[in-house]
Amino acid sequence: MLTSEQRLSAIQRLGRALSDPTRCRLLLALLEGADYPAGLADRLGLTRQNVSNHLACLRDCGLVRTHARGRQVSYELVDESLAHALDDLLQVVWGTTQPHETLTPSEEQPRAV
């Protein structure tokens, strides 16, 4: 169970990641799958240096991870649940949310106070 401080830290990291339009664009691009910084730069019309700097921030925020493939490093979302969470956030913003399955009381996680 996460403490209040851990939950606050996680929300602050997420807020930092989402506070920049370029980082948001990178997260959305990575929803489509792993890619290399050069490929992301080309797709998004950005410089490789700019993309690398923002990917480093996203990695520090705990939202992306790297995979070395030979001499190159690709980036991907840290977990499939992050992809689902981003999709859920987009649906909330656009007002197109679908109800989730309701957890039974025994399945619910206790809340940190």
Side-chain angles (χ1 to χ4, degrees):
M1 178 169 55
L2 295 176
T3 67
S4 293
E5 287 299 316
Q6 290 169 322
R7 293 172 67 194
L8 177 61
S9 176
I11 292 296
Q12 288 172 328
R13 286 194 324 252
L14 180 61
R16 180 172 178 235
L18 296 178
S19 69
D20 184 272
T22 298
R23 289 193 289 271
C24 290
R25 291 176 67 202
L26 287 166
L27 287 171
L28 292 173
L30 291 173
L31 277 173
E32 298 172 17
D35 204 350
Y36 298 97
L40 291 164
D42 290 344
R43 282 174 40 198
L44 300 176
L46 302 167
T47 66
R48 291 180 187 186
Q49 183 63 45
N50 190 10
V51 167
S52 292
N53 289 339
H54 285 290
L55 287 171
C57 178
L58 291 171
R59 189 180 59 235
D60 291 343
C61 290
L63 300 179
V64 299
R65 64 180 170 203
T66 61
H67 284 286
R69 294 182 181 152
R71 294 179 60 197
Q72 295 184 329
V73 175
S74 68
Y75 287 78
E76 66 183 4
L77 296 178
V78 73
D79 190 279
E80 187 64 27
S81 61
L82 177 59
H84 290 289
L86 290 171
D87 282 334
D88 282 350
L89 284 172
L90 291 169
Q91 289 178 18
V92 166
V93 169
W94 288 110
T96 60
T97 57
Q98 300 296 316
H100 286 276
E101 291 182 29
T102 304
L103 297 175
T104 64
S106 62
E107 296 173 320
E108 290 180 1
Q109 296 292 323
R111 294 180 176 231
V113 181

